[in-house]
Amino acid sequence: MSLAPDITELLARARADLRMGVPVALTDDSGYSVLAVSAETLSPQRLADLKALGTPVVAITGRRAETLKARAYDGDLARVVVPADADITWVQAVADPSDDLSAPMKGPLMTERQGNANLHRIAIALAKSARILPAAVVVSIEDGRSFAATHGLTCIDHTRAAPHLADRSALHEVVAARLPMEVSEAGRLHVFRPEDGGEEHYAVEIGRPDRDKPVLARLHSACFTGDLMGSLKCDCGPQLRGALAQMGSEGAGVLLYLNQEGRGIGLANKMRAYFLQDQGFDTVEANHRLGFEDDERDFRLGSDILKSLGFNSVRLLTNNPAKIAMMERTGIAVTERVPLKVGETAHNRGYLATKATKSGHLL
């Protein structure tokens, strides 16, 4: 029977559990098992319960470990030992950089260097994909499958999960309908849904683009603050409206609206990054202090959608060379880069300068 959830559905369940502060059991082929809980949503009672099972660690990314001056013996992550007297405030201070400047001395932090960190890596990957802080409290247990069954918890097998977490989910078009817009009455909106239960992505088609010619296209990452609220801290809103206006003027084009807010870290973490920027850090430094990479987005989603719509070549509206390189690598020919230089304000000049110097944007 196919009534039991498959690994894709179990991973979706695990993400929801972590967002709610519910533990997830993780196992590997060697028989090693752990319980993992989001450091952000962990409750004091559950922390006490984890301590009763053994000595927990806080698994954090190498980026966050660098900020905390904690030794990352596992390279891309560190396993910070939770002291016996540590409370929930201590755990959250390790995971969340909001008080780093006001309380910089968090150590000395002891980190584990023995044993396998693969399950801790899975826990961090799940937290990232759940759009919460990339930190998990982890404790070793005996027989994760039995423990999960006894306590009604989701159990994830490392071997089955790793390939799914490393690659993007397949997208399927759910519906498309006519959408008259200010820039063009001949508009059409396509909705694409990933198989992994993640956020949907959209394609806005202007006019009737010829599939046999390079289409004027833009990959636009969702920006609630810029697109909807008119934020002056970024150039996203003007870029969105400028791209649509140019497509309307030319009579044809396709704008891909990808739900990868805050360079793929989610709106809550983006606001955490804004808080850090107010303390003097630039956008890349803020992401690193949170435990993220410079850019966590997956632009291959845009290539997948374009192919699904029947396009194989584009005139790409972008200032970001990484988007061009991704398109070329994934089989979409970029015949022309069309600059999109709009939206500079007194509030975002530093942000734009960082995009140019650290992310290679052509501004």
Side-chain angles (χ1 to χ4, degrees):
M1 296 181 70
S2 60
L3 297 179
D6 61 21
I7 186 60
T8 299
E9 293 159 339
L10 285 172
L11 288 170
R13 182 182 293 178
R15 292 184 189 96
D17 289 345
L18 292 177
R19 288 178 64 87
M20 293 289 292
V22 177
V24 175
L26 308 173
T27 66
D28 66 17
D29 290 342
S30 71
Y32 179 50
S33 300
V34 302
L35 277 187
V37 193
S38 162
E40 177 181 340
T41 56
L42 176 66
S43 68
Q45 181 57 56
R46 284 206 167 110
L47 176 59
D49 293 340
L50 292 178
K51 286 184 175 182
L53 295 171
T55 302
V57 299
V58 183
I60 56 175
T61 67
R63 291 294 192 186
R64 181 65 182 143
E66 184 179 1
T67 295
L68 296 173
K69 304 297 188 291
R71 289 188 177 273
Y73 293 111
D74 303 304
D76 59 336
L77 65 89
R79 292 169 285 160
V80 180
V81 178
V82 179
D85 61 347
D87 60 10
I88 196 71
T89 301
W90 184 92
V91 170
Q92 292 175 346
V94 170
D96 189 341
S98 59
D99 73 341
D100 279 358
L101 294 189
S102 59
M105 300 302 292
K106 300 186 188 300
L109 299 176
M110 304 296 294
T111 56
E112 288 189 349
R113 62 189 306 173
Q114 304 297 326
N116 193 320
N118 283 339
L119 298 184
H120 303 74
R121 195 166 283 112
I122 290 288
I124 289 175
L126 282 169
K128 278 189 175 185
S129 61
R131 302 293 187 262
I132 52 181
L133 286 170
V137 181
V138 181
V139 65
S140 298
I141 56 173
E142 296 289 336
D143 192 352
R145 293 184 184 282
S146 296
F147 191 98
T150 299
H151 296 276
L153 303 177
T154 304
C155 185
I156 301 295
D157 174 76
H158 169 268
T159 301
R160 297 174 63 203
H164 292 267
L165 291 172
D167 202 2
R168 64 198 183 281
S169 174
L171 289 167
H172 301 285
E173 185 170 358
V174 178
V175 66
R178 188 175 66 89
L179 180 67
M181 294 177 287
E182 289 182 359
V183 298
S184 173
E185 293 186 6
R188 192 169 185 82
L189 177 65
H190 304 256
V191 177
F192 288 83
R193 183 176 296 160
E195 291 181 354
D196 65 1
E199 294 176 294
E200 295 168 347
H201 306 283
Y202 318 122
V204 182
E205 195 172 358
I206 302 296
R208 296 181 179 273
D210 188 340
R211 265 60 174 175
D212 295 325
K213 296 180 181 178
V215 63
L216 182 63
R218 171 160 176 79
L219 276 64
H220 187 89
S221 298
C223 179
F224 171 80
T225 51
D227 297 343
L228 274 68
M229 306 305 295
S231 169
L232 300 177
K233 285 179 66 70
C234 65
D235 55 346
C236 302
Q239 284 190 327
L240 172 64
R241 290 180 284 277
L244 287 172
Q246 187 162 341
M247 292 173 189
S249 177
E250 293 194 13
V254 59
L255 183 138
L256 308 182
Y257 197 87
L258 307 178
N259 272 311
Q260 300 189 115
E261 179 84 42
R263 295 189 175 186
I265 66 176
L267 183 58
N269 287 321
K270 174 180 165 180
M271 290 299 99
R272 291 185 171 110
Y274 275 16
F275 179 80
L276 295 176
Q277 289 170 38
D278 288 341
Q279 295 179 3
F281 300 102
D282 67 33
T283 182
V284 171
E285 292 167 341
N287 269 26
H288 290 179
R289 295 186 77 87
L290 284 164
F292 295 103
E293 295 301 317
D294 302 22
D295 195 332
E296 297 276 353
R297 291 174 292 182
D298 189 345
F299 293 127
R300 297 174 299 175
L301 297 170
S303 177
D304 293 343
I305 293 174
L306 284 169
K307 291 176 184 176
S308 177
L309 292 174
F311 299 105
N312 54 36
S313 62
V314 296
R315 297 166 51 230
L316 195 62
L317 271 160
T318 187
N319 303 323
N320 187 354
K323 292 182 180 179
I324 299 173
M326 178 282 303
M327 286 286 187
E328 297 283 358
R329 284 197 306 269
T330 54
I332 299 290
V334 180
T335 63
E336 179 188 0
R337 182 185 77 86
V338 182
L340 189 59
K341 298 180 181 180
V342 294
E344 181 176 336
T345 71
H347 295 272
N348 66 23
R349 287 197 184 102
Y351 166 75
L352 295 177
T354 299
K355 287 210 296 185
T357 58
K358 293 190 175 182
S359 302
H361 286 222
L362 304 174
L363 300 175

